[in-house]
Amino acid sequence: MVSTKWGSSLAAHIYLLLFSHLAGRAAAAPTTSSPSSSSYRAETLTAVKALQSWYNPSTGLWNTAGWWNSANCLQVLADWTMTDNSSATTLINVPGIMQNTFTKAQQTTVSTQKTVSARTGHITSTYTLQAKHIHGNSRRGFSGFINDFYDDEGWWALALIRSWDATRNAGYLATAESIFADMVNGTDAVCGGGVWWSKARKYKNAIANELYLSVAAALARRVPDAGRRARYLQTAKDQWGWFRRSGMINGESLINDGLTIKEDGSCVNNGAQTWSYNQGVVLGGLVELAYATGDVGYVREAVPIAVAAVKKLTTTVDGVVVIREVDRCEPDCGLDGPQFKGVFVRNLGYLVVAVSTAPERVLKGAIEANARSVWNRDRESGTNRLGISWAGPVSAGQGPNASTHSSAMDVLVAARGVAGLSPRGLGMGMWKVEEGESGSEGAKV
Ligand SMILES: *[C@@H]1O[C@H](CO)[C@@H](O)[C@H](O)[C@H]1NC(C)=O
Ligand SMILES: *[C@@H]1O[C@H](CO)[C@@H](O)[C@H](O)[C@H]1NC(C)=O
Ligand SMILES: *[C@@H]1O[C@H](CO)[C@@H](O)[C@H](O)[C@H]1NC(C)=O
């Protein structure tokens, strides 16, 4: 059933063509079984150590990464743990880092301001961090990981769910549930459904709604109570039903930033940038939904988005074929932008694990090619810090920081995850959480 679905697919042919030249460059790494993938283990471990050079134990956050970016730093550590638990626990003590971040991050006073540039569509978050000092009066931080932005809440919920996958610490899953309860309160009937970006209730955008889908679908497979699992599943299905009709997915299967609410109350695609992360989180959400329901139709709906996004984002930079953020914003994509590409590739990795078809091989090739470029061209010698431009040089923009590094690390971890060499690869550990499940191939499409 694999080949019949995709053998005649025009999209598959287009993207095989697109990547044939890319695969040609990648002589050392065939896309089906990559002999170099075993070395991603050492490379990724090295990158984890570099990431931790920014870790601030007193805030539980990563210096130079703001609030939501730090959730993504936590998530890449959790994803990595799923591929290399022994290194994560014995060499790095990821469970200890998770526990510390869980405790300290929500006590850290963070003031957040976000603005969207009307001219460029860039989102800029400004965070002021201050580690809470113990004595009574100082203001609580984002207690329970709740703040004014539903997207920030979603990032933390997902990172805590992955942390639960890696450790089975029940507190992480329970907190993800309480975060989601707050997100549910951010939904209403404006635009026919969906969650607002923030508690100011002015903008319904893609990222908050993709996170809402992903968190609901992830909880639907993990929480212990059957009644709550069923409710999360219904919420996730309803959310996807709304999202796909919302207008945010354009005619090229790409997702624009959000919706414009017109005078008459109707809502239309606002035509703003198709940021990479907007093409990413939805993939992970649909994969979760496919596993939660056993319905591979959700994965089928994800594939065209992934394929269109890889095509859109893949660019030749100084002769090197890599994924680059839309809008040619690199190397200056603001404080938030450097995180986006990693989010995309992470979720692309989840999708690749869930399919076993022609697009899977092509998409996997894209992940591996980017991983090689990150490692070979975008790494600072000595520190092993990774920069914003995956084609290099690592000094691009203001040089590497925790956001550029964790984002590039997502590529290394995804490459390792899709290589299928790990006994607890992303497929088995990340997605196949039910007892007794097996099969690193994931769902067949
Ligand atoms: C990871 O390794 C630690 C230490 O060896 C072990 O206690 C734990 O059960 C492992 N976790 C998983 C999810 O395999
Ligand atoms: C839920 O959202 C409404 C705004 O629609 C707000 O007034 C209310 O305080 C929120 N409830 C909780 C528990 O946050
Ligand atoms: C991290 O580096 C990127 C690329 O140079 C830059 O756009 C971003 O502003 C930096 N972040 C911080 C907090 O300096």
Side-chain angles (χ1 to χ4, degrees), residues 425-436:
L426 291 180
M428 297 172 70
M430 189 64 60
W431 305 114
K432 296 282 184 184
V433 294
E434 293 87 357
E435 292 299 327

Side-chain angles (χ1 to χ4, degrees), residues 115-192:
T115 52
V116 186
S117 158
R119 192 176 60 81
T120 63
H122 280 248
I123 294 172
T124 302
S125 301
T126 316
Y127 300 96
T128 312
L129 308 185
Q130 193 189 356
K132 184 196 170 199
H133 298 290
I134 322 124
H135 310 297
N137 313 353
S138 70
R139 188 162 77 79
R140 277 285 277 175
F142 295 147
S143 182
F145 298 94
I146 302 296
N147 71 358
D148 284 342
F149 291 90
Y150 292 113
D151 57 344
D152 288 2
E153 294 186 5
W155 295 117
W156 280 103
L158 279 187
L160 290 172
I161 289 167
R162 300 294 177 250
S163 299
W164 178 83
D165 285 347
T167 61
R168 299 297 156 119
N169 178 326
Y172 303 158
L173 196 60
T175 302
E177 286 195 82
S178 59
I179 295 170
F180 188 70
D182 194 69
M183 295 177 79
V184 170
N185 192 42
T187 62
D188 65 15
V190 174
C191 301

Side-chain angles (χ1 to χ4, degrees), residues 312-389:
K312 169 89 178 181
L313 296 164
T314 298
T315 323
T316 303
V317 183
D318 298 333
V320 186
V321 181
V322 283
I323 284 175
R324 180 170 69 168
E325 189 49 76
V326 295
D327 196 31
R328 298 185 168 259
C329 64
E330 293 180 17
D332 179 10
C333 304
L335 295 177
D336 293 337
Q339 208 74 46
F340 295 173
K341 294 184 298 183
V343 170
F344 171 68
V345 175
R346 174 200 305 156
N347 284 279
L348 186 65
Y350 300 159
L351 178 66
V352 166
V353 169
V355 297
S356 50
T357 57
E360 177 264 352
R361 288 195 299 279
V362 174
L363 299 172
K364 181 177 170 185
I367 293 171
E368 291 177 335
N370 278 279
R372 277 190 303 280
S373 189
V374 160
W375 190 253
N376 294 330
R377 300 171 184 276
D378 184 30
R379 178 169 46 103
E380 194 170 71
S381 67
T383 66
N384 291 303
R385 291 175 165 192
L386 308 171
I388 189 170
S389 172

Side-chain angles (χ1 to χ4, degrees), residues 1-13 16 357-359 361:
M1 64 183 181
V2 170
S3 52
T4 54
K5 291 292 179 208
W6 291 105
S8 61
S9 154
L10 180 62
H13 285 300
L16 281 167
T357 57
R361 288 195 299 279

